[in-house]
């Protein structure tokens, strides 16, 4: 998620004001109007980039240069002089990239990037008092931080570790040559992802710039068996149209549903003191549902921009359809039909979850779940609401896993029982997520405590009781650390 303050807070204008009249007409903050205008321009630029600067017509250096120049222009347009923070961080971390030893490059890059991001987050809470600049540069800074750390770990894997000590995925993504300055700038600041992401892998991005992106995926399929004499040429147009349709639906929902059920309703006197518990439960679910369309809109539009440029091809599905979801940040259907907390999280902000797994969960030696939630909260910012959400999320995740391991197998004996189980777990999951993420959008301590007191801290209490009194099933634990190439080779020999 990308945080947003309560609507009652004032906004300060520091960036481009050319769209100010439109902002006043629609009743939408200027930063959101700037964002939409920038992303729509990026969409047209992406089509132009794919057609007129295709790898067959243009050298990789030219494609890198144009992608970077457009990205820098978008950042300056949206964020004014605050964009300096983005450029300073990129230049500092490139200095680390070229001077640090490969054995330490990932640590230095991680602490510098996360440290700088945290300082910027702190300035928002202590200097701007829970306000948010009309040109809030923290979003792009968060994306750049993901990319800086992702690349640093992949360079460390490629140059500072033995191949047999890497997992299969780490080996595939390992970068064996440090990027040039132009490649580094292009990867971090390209116009397709600098404003709204998503994070992607350096090797995938370079393959896209060099024109190898789709061919690499197509070569995984036996096309002669399918009746093709040569490799097909997948077009992203269909995927882009579908995603633009979804962004339009999300925008309409945002302009209607989100405005009708604002988060501020959760601290109204009626909700806190007069409504009964069941009403509060249902109303909380509705308000949290109403807060989703802006994320669906932003992430789906960002995905469409990358696809329009020709980036994001993930291969061919079992039905022979071309898939353009390599960079997708969410799966709306799976989110809305999730029957477990884990399934919900796996399909929400997918690229951030992948980043957390690759730089934290798979690498820390102790308390991986807790430390991953802490890193996620720190990356999002220093608003207290984030920490309420992620600490509650840790508790709920452990409780949900314990319940599933103890009782799920009883409901698999018949189809009717399985359907009943799915219906109940869907309802429980949706209500649990609404309860857990409410502080994330409320930000401050007082409204969060007020909300949870009105809900009697019910989910905290239930989760604690489950963890304390239900047995932990040893067989339910999944091996956390990925298998290294060395362990896989040993198994093959055995």
């Amino acid at each position: 998620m990308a945080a947003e303050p309560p609507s009652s807070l004032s906004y300060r204008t520091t960036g481009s004001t050319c769209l100010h009249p439109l902002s006043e007409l629609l009743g939408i903050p200027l930063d959101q109007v700037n964002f939409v205008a920038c992303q729509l321009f990026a969409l047209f630029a992406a089509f132009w980039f794919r057609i007129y600067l295709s790898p067959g017509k243009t050298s990789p250096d030219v494609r890198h240069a144009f992608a970077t120049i457009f990205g820098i222009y978008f950042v300056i347009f949206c964020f004014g002089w605050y964009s300096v923070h983005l450029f300073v961080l990129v230049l500092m971390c490139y200095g680390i990239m070229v001077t640090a030893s490969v054995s330490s490059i990932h640590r230095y890059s991680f602490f510098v990037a996360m440290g700088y991001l945290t300082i910027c987050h702190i300035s928002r809470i202590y200097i701007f008092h829970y306000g948010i600049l009309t040109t809030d540069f923290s979003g792009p800074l968060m994306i750049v931080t993901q990319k800086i750390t992702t690349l640093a770990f992949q360079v460390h894997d490629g140059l500072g570790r033995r191949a047999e000590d890497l997992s299969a995925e780490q080996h595939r993504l390992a970068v064996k040559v440090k990027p040039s300055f132009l490649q580094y700038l292009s990867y971090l600041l390209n116009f397709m992802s600098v404003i709204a992401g998503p994070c992607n892998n350096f090797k995938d991005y370079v393959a896209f710039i060099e024109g190898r992106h789709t061919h690499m995926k197509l070569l995984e399929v036996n096309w002669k068996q399918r009746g093709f004499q040569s490799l097909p040429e997948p077009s992203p147009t269909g995927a882009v149209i579908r995603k633009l349709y979804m962004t339009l639906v999300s925008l309409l929902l945002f302009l209607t549903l989100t405005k009708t059920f604002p988060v501020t309703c959760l601290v109204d006197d009626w909700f806190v003191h007069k409504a009964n518990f069941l009403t509060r439960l249902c109303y909380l679910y509705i308000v949290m549902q109403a807060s989703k369309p802006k994320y669906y809109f932003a992430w789906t539009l960002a995905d469409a921009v990358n696809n329009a440029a020709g980036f994001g091809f993930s291969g061919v599905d079992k039905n022979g359809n071309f898939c353009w979801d390599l960079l997708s940040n969410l799966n709306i259907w799976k989110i809305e039909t999730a029957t477990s907390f884990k399934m919900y999280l796996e399909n929400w902000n997918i690229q951030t979850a992948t980043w957390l797994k690759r730089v934290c969960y798979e690498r820390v030696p102790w308390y991986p779940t807790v430390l991953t939630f802490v890193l996620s909260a720190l990356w999002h910012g220093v608003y207290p609401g984030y920490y309420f959400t992620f600490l509650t999320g840790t508790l709920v995740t452990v409780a949900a896993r314990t319940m599933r391991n103890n009782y799920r197998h009883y409901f698999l004996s018949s189809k009717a029982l399985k359907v009943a189980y799915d219906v109940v777990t869907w309802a429980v999951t949706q209500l649990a997520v609404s309860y857990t993420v409410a502080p994330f959008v409320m930000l401050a301590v007082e409204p969060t405590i007020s909300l949870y007191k009105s809900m009697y801290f019910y989910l905290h209490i239930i989760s604690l009781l489950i963890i304390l009194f239900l047995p932990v099933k040893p067989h339910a634990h999944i091996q956390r650390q990925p298998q290294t190439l060395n362990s896989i080779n040993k198994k093959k020999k055995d």
Side-chain angles (χ1 to χ4, degrees):
M1 285 187 176
E4 195 173 7
S7 58
S8 59
L9 295 175
S10 61
Y11 289 82
R12 295 180 57 185
T13 303
T14 54
S16 172
T17 58
C18 61
L19 297 174
H20 209 156
L22 182 60
S23 171
E24 292 179 346
L25 179 66
L26 297 175
I28 300 174
L30 182 59
D31 65 321
Q32 295 177 11
V33 175
N34 279 353
F35 168 81
V36 174
C38 220
Q39 287 296 81
L40 289 177
F41 186 71
L43 184 67
F44 290 111
F47 278 115
W48 177 85
F49 188 79
R50 179 167 61 90
I51 296 169
Y52 294 102
L53 290 183
S54 64
K57 300 177 182 177
T58 315
S59 71
D61 284 348
V62 172
R63 282 167 60 83
H64 276 304
F66 270 88
T68 305
I69 292 168
F70 284 169
I72 290 173
Y73 171 76
F74 289 166
V75 169
I76 294 173
F77 171 81
C78 280
F79 311 113
W81 72 268
Y82 285 100
S83 57
V84 169
H85 288 288
L86 207 62
F87 305 142
V88 166
L89 179 58
V90 168
L91 292 176
M92 283 196 305
C93 289
Y94 185 71
I96 294 172
M97 178 64 64
V98 297
T99 59
S101 67
V102 291
S103 60
S104 303
I105 195 170
H106 58 306
R107 295 191 191 94
Y108 294 150
S109 296
F110 180 86
F111 285 113
V112 168
M114 283 300 302
Y116 196 93
L117 176 64
T118 302
I119 290 170
C120 290
H121 280 320
I122 291 172
S123 71
R124 289 174 57 195
I125 190 170
Y126 289 109
I127 296 176
F128 297 110
H129 307 293
Y130 283 85
I132 190 169
L133 297 174
T134 299
T135 50
D136 176 28
F137 62 92
S138 65
L141 203 62
M142 291 160 71
I143 299 298
V144 164
T145 297
Q146 285 188 349
K147 288 186 176 183
I148 286 170
T149 52
T150 295
L151 177 55
F153 274 95
Q154 290 171 353
V155 169
H156 170 66
D157 289 342
L159 298 175
R161 297 176 66 190
R162 298 183 306 169
E164 56 267 28
D165 293 334
L166 304 175
S167 69
E169 184 184 59
Q170 288 169 349
H171 185 266
R172 178 178 66 84
L173 298 174
V175 177
K176 299 185 182 299
V177 178
K178 288 185 178 182
S180 68
F181 184 57
L182 179 59
Q183 287 177 325
Y184 195 80
L185 289 181
S186 178
Y187 173 61
L188 297 179
L189 300 176
N190 69 82
F191 74 94
M192 289 93 71
S193 61
V194 70
I195 300 297
C199 180
N200 50 70
N201 297 302
F202 180 75
K203 287 180 77 171
D204 289 334
Y205 180 72
V206 170
F208 154 69
I209 290 292
E210 295 177 355
R212 299 180 285 107
H213 172 58
T214 55
H215 284 179
M216 287 166 54
K217 303 291 182 182
L218 290 172
L219 289 173
E220 298 172 2
V221 179
N222 188 337
W223 292 101
K224 287 188 176 179
Q225 242 182 20
R226 295 173 179 257
F228 288 83
Q229 298 304 312
S230 59
L231 291 179
E233 290 291 335
S235 171
T237 304
V240 173
I241 291 173
R242 287 192 299 274
K243 290 171 185 179
L244 289 179
Y245 172 76
M246 183 55 65
T247 61
L248 180 60
V249 172
S250 300
L251 180 60
L252 292 175
L253 288 173
F254 171 72
L255 293 174
T256 54
L257 192 62
T258 307
K259 302 289 184 181
T260 307
F261 299 99
V263 177
T264 49
C265 292
L266 300 179
V267 293
D268 286 349
D269 182 67
W270 169 82
F271 181 88
V272 175
H273 299 294
K274 297 177 182 177
N276 60 50
F277 178 75
L278 187 59
T279 302
R280 290 172 189 160
L281 207 61
C282 295
Y283 200 74
L284 175 62
Y285 171 72
I286 293 170
V287 170
M288 290 298 101
Q289 284 294 101
S291 69
K292 292 180 185 178
K294 61 178 174 287
Y295 301 110
Y296 290 172
F297 172 83
W299 289 338
T300 307
L301 181 56
D303 196 10
V305 169
N306 280 276
N307 290 171
F311 190 23
F313 182 69
S314 59
V316 183
D317 66 17
K318 60 183 180 181
N319 298 318
N321 300 315
F322 296 127
C323 299
W324 289 86
D325 58 359
L326 181 70
L327 306 177
S328 294
N329 225 350
L330 75 169
N331 186 317
I332 296 175
W333 175 253
K334 288 185 178 180
I335 287 170
E336 299 300 342
T337 60
T339 56
S340 70
F341 206 75
K342 179 176 180 289
M343 180 180 175
Y344 194 105
L345 294 179
E346 285 176 347
N347 291 283
W348 176 272
N349 207 351
I350 295 169
Q351 303 307 325
T352 293
T354 301
W355 170 71
L356 289 167
K357 183 188 77 170
R358 288 174 179 166
V359 304
C360 183
Y361 189 82
E362 292 180 346
R363 298 179 188 263
V364 295
W366 307 287
Y367 308 111
T369 300
V370 174
L371 290 176
T372 300
F373 273 114
V374 170
L375 174 59
S376 182
L378 190 64
W379 175 78
H380 279 91
V382 292
Y383 288 120
Y386 297 163
Y387 295 86
F388 274 102
T389 285
F390 289 110
L391 290 174
T392 303
T394 303
L395 190 68
V396 174
T397 298
V398 175
R401 185 185 300 158
T402 303
M403 281 289 290
R404 184 181 179 86
N405 292 339
N406 275 276
Y407 295 110
R408 184 175 182 270
H409 58 279
Y410 292 122
F411 295 89
L412 302 180
S413 57
S414 72
K415 189 175 180 180
L417 281 175
K418 180 65 168 60
V419 169
Y421 176 84
D422 287 343
V423 170
V424 171
T425 52
W426 171 83
V428 170
T429 297
Q430 299 300 321
L431 293 175
V433 169
S434 299
Y435 179 96
T436 303
V437 303
F440 195 100
V441 293
M442 301 178 81
L443 300 181
V445 174
E446 293 81 7
T448 296
I449 296 297
S450 174
L451 172 68
Y452 279 165
K453 280 177 67 178
S454 72
M455 307 293 290
Y456 311 112
F457 292 91
Y458 84 94
L459 192 60
H460 289 89
I461 295 170
I462 291 173
S463 298
L464 281 172
L465 291 175
I466 290 170
I467 294 169
L468 290 174
F469 294 105
L470 281 184
V472 175
K473 300 284 186 179
H475 68 273
H477 288 292
I478 299 171
Q479 185 179 0
R480 176 176 65 87
Q481 294 291 352
Q483 290 184 318
T484 62
L485 297 181
N486 196 31
S487 65
I488 291 172
N489 290 335
K490 280 183 179 178
K491 283 186 179 180
K492 286 182 178 177
K493 287 178 183 178
D494 294 342

